[in-house]
Amino acid sequence: MSMKKSWILYFIILTVFIGSCKKSGENTIPWTTIPYLITIPPHFPQKLNIPSDNPMTVEGVTLGRYLFYDGRLSGRTDPDSLMSCANCHVQANSFVCGINNPKYTNGHPFGITGIPTPHFMLPMINLIWTDHGYLWNGSISDENPAVQSRKLEDLVWMGIVAPHEMHGDTGRTKALIQSIKGYPELYKNAFGSDFVTIKNTGKAIAQFVRSLISANSKFDRFLQGEVQLTASERTGFVLFMTEQGGDCFHCHGGDGNPLFTTNLFYNNGKDSLFDDLRDRYHFTMSSSDIGAYKAPTLRNLVFTAPYMHDGRFKTLDEVIDFYSSGLVWSPSISPLMHHIATHGIQLLPQEKADLKAFLLTLTDSSFVANPAFARPSRMPDEN
Amino acid sequence: MKNRISTFSLMSQLFFALILSSCHKDYSPEIVVLKKGNLQVNMVHQVDGKALIFDSLTYTTSLGQHYMVNDLQYFLSDISLHELDGSWLEITDSAGIHYVDAETASSCQWLISQQIPAGTYDSIGFVFGLDKEANRSNRFPDPPERDMFWPDILGGGYHYMKMNMKWKKVGMPETMPFMFHIGIGQIYSGNTANPDSIIGFIQNYFSVKLPAVLRIDNNKSSSVEIAMNVDRWFDGQNAFDFSLYPMGIMQNQLGMYRACRNGMQAFSVQNAIPN
């Protein structure tokens, strides 16, 4: 069929289609969305954590990105009371607030009213593969008795009301977003209705968060055979991957698990006394989880200081010193911390430098500069 | 030439057709429908014949060392059913590979989707771990199997088994972690386990064949219960001494060898229940 003919045919079909719509009394073209395609990087898991009632769409991710960066999510318009996810989750720092954050000293964020968050931050990357619950203790999961606190989506209403975050109320947020020019249309594009709901707000932001994939580090290119590691990086890699070396891979992944986390929970030997009401134990009530936290991904560490759930280590050198000689025994220490007998892996200074050099090959600078994940140049009402 | 061959083949086909049709005239053969059933393999984990209790320092080896088990995860593969006449059937469901996490009930119950010819089988065989061909790096991108990966520099593929434990003996103030991890072993040219001095790898997987009177009935589901007797890993012909391996056994072939020699005796068939 010639180009011309096919165009005519297309036109006829379209007219018939529109005509039929009119007949049934509907004037509008049916609501459709464009699927947002996820490209799975080599060796990354095939199973994606996308709830069946919130498929990724281009429209959903677009709306989610505006909301993620819009301080009016707090339900207020006063400049002092604006707060969005991006206040704390800063792209330049792989979505933690960062140790040099001008507002949050030492990288410990606090909410609108000054109440500090109970924990320090987790890097918000590659969460489309999180399979054992969100947060340091994994409590946002299907095992949570509260049905409204199980999904990534749910962290949005939780953030709006949490005293240590936006300290707002969802009704006010809903009404404010509804009143902002441009948003109702974006909700309509994404969800088929211009009525702003907290449910759809959570869905859109969750879609944007799931789109934050970081998989372009030197180490990824090494695995693809595109670059070589330096001698020091390679020595560090061997230390990382061997039981008699540093033995980091059992909890943090490696060449067989490029997420660089198992997303599981361990007590990695920091303390002998435990008083945090938000550790893994207080969620599972299993005594082997006392003092256990999610092993975070080791990607983009260069941006994510300070380290650990309580931010106790300001630098990677401090973390490496800890694993080298600072381990503390407790009854619930993970059985994978077998170097506890010698208080650590006992690295020589050169080995510490090598391990650090390897960890820094997990840096993805293109991710923190990716314009698709950045604050939109204009908010919907500024367009 | 070409023509002649095709004429010939046409002729021969006609000839066969004639023979076949003449057969049909003389006999009306009975159509034999293969009778098939299903099999479910249930794994149970025991110490001294009783169900394994996790996270509790209640067990003692023959050397008097106390231990607890915190995690127990492993692969079984190449499962096969053997008949009295020596013939056998290989299970190809999920490439014949099954991952077990002893604390996850669903993984301990493997309903094999493959239909199995009805009959009586006299033993069940499997490979503990993954054989050389099956043990390819990156074949499982998804958890939980993914988290069994064995570093490429140490031979690659997957841990056959991860038994995470703690142990204690007289004179030790506290329990100490022990990683009873088994997979591909390494031979080092030097006397330290430096990966740069690896000169060869050893496949430590082993085959197990357990006698079991196993009946598969037509259109019915049978089950067989296989026990891993965890104590056997330590109390077999090579009494296992945790204190010999302060650095674990992943990079200690002698340790893994001793463990596997014991492990060969660790499995038994508990029950084979038709229907």
Side-chain angles (χ1 to χ4, degrees):
Chain A
M1 204 183 325
S2 75
M3 267 302 243
K4 212 168 156 193
K5 267 189 197 157
S6 70
W7 271 110
I8 293 171
L9 190 67
Y10 178 68
F11 187 71
I12 292 172
I13 291 175
L14 202 69
T15 341
V16 170
F17 187 67
I18 291 173
S20 72
C21 281
K22 273 205 180 129
K23 249 180 234 160
S24 63
E26 283 172 45
N27 242 325
T28 46
I29 299 166
W31 166 66
T32 53
T33 50
I34 304 164
Y36 182 97
L37 296 179
I38 302 280
T39 313
I40 298 178
H43 308 316
F44 273 56
Q46 298 293 311
K47 271 189 230 152
L48 303 177
N49 186 351
I50 304 176
S52 56
D53 68 349
N54 191 22
M56 305 267 295
T57 65
V58 171
E59 294 81 357
V61 172
T62 305
L63 170 61
R65 179 174 163 212
Y66 282 120
L67 293 166
F68 186 90
Y69 281 102
D70 196 331
R72 293 169 292 190
L73 194 67
S74 70
R76 305 162 180 99
T77 49
D78 178 80
D80 292 339
S81 306
L82 297 176
M83 182 175 247
S84 71
C85 315
N87 277 50
C88 300
H89 295 282
V90 179
Q91 183 190 14
N93 300 322
S94 195
F95 291 97
V96 309
C97 70
I99 197 159
N100 297 323
N101 191 294
K103 188 166 169 192
Y104 305 128
T105 326
N106 295 328
H108 191 180
F110 50 81
I112 283 189
T113 54
I115 304 172
T117 55
H119 288 156
F120 281 60
M121 299 201 64
L122 273 161
M124 209 176 60
I125 61 168
N126 298 336
L127 297 197
I128 197 165
W129 290 287
T130 297
D131 54 352
H132 285 93
Y134 305 92
L135 303 185
W136 282 104
N137 58 14
S139 59
I140 305 304
S141 71
D142 289 343
E143 282 81 53
N144 195 313
V147 284
Q148 71 279 20
S149 302
R150 291 184 173 170
K151 304 257 178 286
L152 180 47
E153 283 73 358
D154 301 331
L155 282 166
V156 172
W157 76 261
M158 294 174 76
I160 293 172
V161 303
H164 54 260
E165 291 189 13
M166 299 176 200
H167 208 174
D169 81 69
T170 51
R172 203 162 46 174
T173 295
K174 231 166 30 184
L176 180 58
I177 303 289
Q178 185 81 59
S179 73
I180 298 171
K181 192 176 132 263
Y183 269 120
E185 197 186 328
L186 288 164
Y187 275 79
K188 178 150 199 163
N189 294 344
F191 301 110
S193 160
D194 53 15
F195 191 63
V196 175
T197 63
I198 288 298
K199 200 167 184 186
N200 286 343
T201 306
K203 284 186 175 180
I205 295 180
Q207 287 189 37
F208 173 66
V209 171
R210 289 196 179 96
S211 74
L212 304 174
I213 294 178
S214 176
N216 183 26
S217 66
K218 179 175 183 183
F219 185 74
D220 294 294
R221 292 190 294 277
F222 164 71
L223 282 186
Q224 294 313 298
E226 292 163 17
V227 290
Q228 294 283 316
L229 299 183
T230 66
S232 172
E233 289 164 352
R234 191 189 168 272
T235 308
F237 175 47
V238 172
L239 282 170
F240 190 92
M241 296 296 296
T242 49
E243 189 172 59
Q244 299 204 12
D247 198 0
C248 315
F249 74 97
H250 278 114
C251 303
H252 289 291
D255 51 19
N257 171 10
L259 288 177
F260 279 90
T261 170
T262 54
N263 281 313
L264 296 172
F265 308 86
Y266 314 90
N267 174 335
N268 63 342
K270 295 181 303 302
D271 300 297
S272 57
L273 293 172
F274 305 95
D275 56 5
D276 180 9
L277 300 180
R278 290 176 181 245
D279 65 356
R280 179 74 174 161
Y281 166 70
H282 284 86
F283 178 59
T284 63
M285 294 322 259
S286 158
S287 60
S288 56
D289 285 332
I290 295 174
Y293 297 90
K294 180 188 287 181
T297 177
L298 300 186
R299 286 179 174 272
N300 296 344
L301 283 171
V302 71
F303 307 117
T304 60
Y307 306 104
M308 308 292 165
H309 72 281
D310 52 5
R312 68 175 68 187
F313 300 127
K314 309 267 173 286
T315 62
L316 270 183
D317 299 296
E318 286 177 35
V319 176
I320 292 172
D321 284 343
F322 156 71
Y323 280 111
S324 184
S325 57
L327 302 186
V328 181
W329 185 92
S330 67
S332 59
I333 192 169
S334 164
L336 295 170
M337 297 298 293
H338 69 111
H339 289 283
I340 182 66
T342 49
H343 302 289
I345 53 180
Q346 299 295 335
L347 297 177
L348 303 169
Q350 183 56 47
E351 291 173 321
K352 289 184 184 178
D354 296 336
L355 184 56
K356 183 175 168 187
F358 164 67
L359 292 174
L360 294 179
T361 68
L362 301 172
T363 306
D364 178 354
S365 304
S366 66
F367 172 77
V368 295
N370 188 335
F373 306 145
R375 174 181 296 278
S377 51
R378 283 184 208 158
M379 282 298 147
D381 53 335
E382 295 167 345
N383 279 326
Chain B
M1 188 64 175
K2 212 175 167 191
N3 256 333
R4 247 174 50 207
I5 287 180
S6 60
T7 321
F8 174 74
S9 76
L10 189 75
M11 291 286 288
S12 60
Q13 274 173 35
L14 262 172
F15 183 66
F16 267 108
L18 271 172
I19 290 184
L20 281 180
S21 60
S22 68
C23 284
H24 272 286
K25 255 179 223 158
D26 292 348
Y27 309 101
S28 50
E30 189 188 344
I31 298 166
V32 182
V33 181
L34 267 181
K35 297 198 168 79
K36 289 184 172 184
N38 280 96
L39 178 66
Q40 174 163 322
V41 179
N42 296 326
M43 295 304 302
V44 295
H45 305 90
Q46 307 181 328
V47 175
D48 302 325
K50 294 201 195 82
L52 167 66
I53 300 164
F54 284 87
D55 301 326
S56 146
L57 194 72
T58 46
Y59 304 122
T60 310
T61 66
S62 58
L63 295 180
Q65 300 177 343
H66 306 292
Y67 67 95
M68 71 167 99
V69 179
N70 303 98
D71 305 285
L72 176 54
Q73 294 137 352
Y74 59 95
F75 283 108
L76 296 181
S77 58
D78 291 348
I79 302 196
S80 55
L81 301 179
H82 300 254
E83 286 185 78
L84 285 165
D85 64 5
S87 64
W88 75 89
L89 172 91
E90 214 161 283
I91 304 299
T92 50
D93 195 13
S94 337
I97 300 173
H98 188 66
Y99 167 81
V100 181
D101 178 339
E103 286 174 285
T104 306
S106 57
S107 78
C108 298
Q109 288 150 15
W110 183 21
L111 177 63
I112 295 166
S113 66
Q114 183 181 340
Q115 294 266 296
I116 295 164
T120 302
Y121 298 85
D122 79 325
S123 60
I124 179 163
F126 58 85
V127 162
F128 168 77
L130 299 166
D131 68 25
K132 189 174 179 182
E133 201 188 326
N135 203 6
R136 291 193 318 271
S137 293
N138 299 112
R139 76 173 294 161
F140 299 115
D142 291 309
E145 292 88 344
R146 172 201 69 197
D147 293 332
M148 297 292 279
F149 86 87
W150 188 266
D152 279 344
I153 30 174
L154 300 183
Y158 292 82
H159 288 69
Y160 306 154
M161 177 166 80
K162 274 190 194 175
M163 179 149 43
N164 298 331
M165 317 174 54
K166 291 183 184 171
W167 75 285
K168 192 177 173 179
K169 69 174 182 182
V170 182
M172 273 168 60
E174 311 292 3
T175 56
M176 281 295 145
F178 197 92
M179 293 153 71
F180 200 81
H181 289 192
I182 300 174
I184 293 177
Q186 316 87 38
I187 312 167
Y188 297 87
S189 65
N191 54 7
T192 60
N194 173 2
D196 285 333
S197 69
I198 293 176
I199 50 171
F201 294 110
I202 297 181
Q203 303 286 329
N204 281 315
Y205 68 87
F206 56 82
S207 301
V208 177
K209 198 171 162 195
L210 303 170
V213 182
L214 190 61
R215 218 177 75 213
I216 305 284
D217 290 334
N218 193 27
N219 286 330
K220 286 187 178 156
S221 183
S222 306
S223 68
V224 58
E225 191 172 277
I226 299 178
M228 180 199 274
N229 302 291
V230 173
D231 46 304
R232 303 304 303 162
W233 285 101
F234 316 118
D235 293 342
Q237 44 186 311
N238 292 282
F240 196 87
D241 183 349
F242 295 110
S243 68
L244 290 181
Y245 314 98
M247 304 289 268
I249 55 174
M250 273 187 88
Q251 289 178 263
N252 187 319
Q253 175 54 27
L254 182 59
M256 281 197 284
Y257 170 80
R258 287 176 175 150
C260 288
R261 296 289 293 177
N262 290 343
M264 288 171 185
Q265 312 298 324
F267 296 90
S268 60
V269 164
Q270 292 285 106
N271 267 314
I273 311 164
N275 310 333

